Amino acid sequence: MLDDTLMIPEFGVVPAASVRRTLAGAEKQVIELVELAYRQHGEQQTVNPPSYFLRFPDRPSARIIALPASIRGDEAVDGVKWISSFPANTAAGIPRASGVLVLNDPVTGHPYALLEASLISAARTAASAVLAADRLTRGHERPARVGYVGCGLIAHTIHTYFTAAGWTFEQVAAYDTVPGNAARFTDGVVVYDTCEELMRACDLVVFATVVGTPHVTEPAALAHHPLVLHVSLRDLAPELIADAANVVDDVDHCLRAGTSLDLAEQLTGGRGFVDGTLYDVMTGRVEVRRDRPVIFSPFGLGVLDLAVGKFVYEGVRAAGELGIVPGFFPAQST
């Protein structure tokens, strides 16, 4: 029997300008949304299958990733992020990453919004990194010297979120394979000639690169036991991962797809080097020892994109900026 109370939702499009306006100044709200999404994920109130990678034999550095996910509860939403990474774009002066986020109505299954996703992805990544830094330093002195390895959109957004969350640093350092990128990172930035020199000088290190295989191999770079936000997942040699305290966003997600943690599992034959998830830290189930380097490796969960994307959609709609596409779907069947 048909339920004639169900309606096809209107379909809206949210371009980058609207995403940017909605997220500007909302950093603390986004961090709270990301924390809530992590709690929902830890409490099995989400569905977050593995990400799917589309790779190209003739373009080995490029990839497009699909991140399907679902959040249950009062703010239920389903959807998928479809985001590409084409590093060669930067030589032509266009962004490396581009993508869209589709939001689906959990009642009818109909998509109801298409949002520009690279800014949403950067925001949820930054919020995750800052949340992890806060949780992993509670009860300890906060880091005073932060260093960024890779100085693109993700690194800039993370630094913006640290500032918005009230973090201050005695020194902000940067290293990038393109020296000009590091020099332009922020006012007063200290530029290092090598990644290892930056790491030894900083007690908080953020990796936001596009490398496909580990390039940091010397234990001396971590001998002072810094906090490392390993956002790009493939910078550290598996031997360094195995000797550190490791916190992830999701164990199964992080130990796959050739990440440094995936390589560490292959090296050690098990997952004993993983101390726990950020949810475990947030709920007090895991207390990370600080007598080793502490590494947070977030694979990037689709539920975070959904949480931030729904926030953006609702903000744009409330502001009257939502671009409706009339007749996008076929008329209701009888």
Side-chain angles (χ1 to χ4, degrees), residues 273-295:
F273 59 88
V274 178
D275 290 65
T277 66
L278 182 57
Y279 175 75
D280 293 330
V281 174
M282 289 163 51
T283 56
R285 296 179 182 181
V286 168
E287 184 174 351
V288 177
R289 290 162 40 201
R290 297 305 303 268
D291 59 348
R292 299 169 289 171
V294 177
I295 302 173

Side-chain angles (χ1 to χ4, degrees), residues 22-101:
T22 305
L23 291 175
E27 292 86 358
K28 290 183 178 179
Q29 289 173 272
V30 173
I31 293 172
E32 291 172 358
L33 285 170
V34 165
E35 179 173 3
L36 176 59
Y38 274 135
R39 291 188 182 277
Q40 291 172 305
H41 186 65
E43 294 162 5
Q44 288 77 53
Q45 293 300 309
T46 66
V47 180
N48 205 115
S51 302
Y52 298 91
F53 287 72
L54 177 61
R55 298 186 183 275
F56 314 95
D58 59 331
R59 292 159 285 164
S61 68
R63 65 190 183 193
I64 308 179
I65 312 172
L67 290 81
S70 174
I71 299 176
R72 286 172 267 175
D74 294 337
E75 297 296 325
V77 60
D78 308 328
V80 62
K81 180 174 72 172
W82 179 241
I83 189 160
S84 66
S85 175
F86 279 52
N89 286 355
T90 57
I94 61 176
R96 170 191 64 83
S98 60
V100 294
L101 176 66

Side-chain angles (χ1 to χ4, degrees), residues 226-248:
L227 171 61
V228 179
L229 303 178
H230 192 205
V231 174
S232 39
L233 291 173
R234 295 170 176 86
D235 297 87
L236 302 176
E239 293 83 359
L240 303 184
I241 294 287
D243 287 338
N246 289 281
V247 176
V248 300

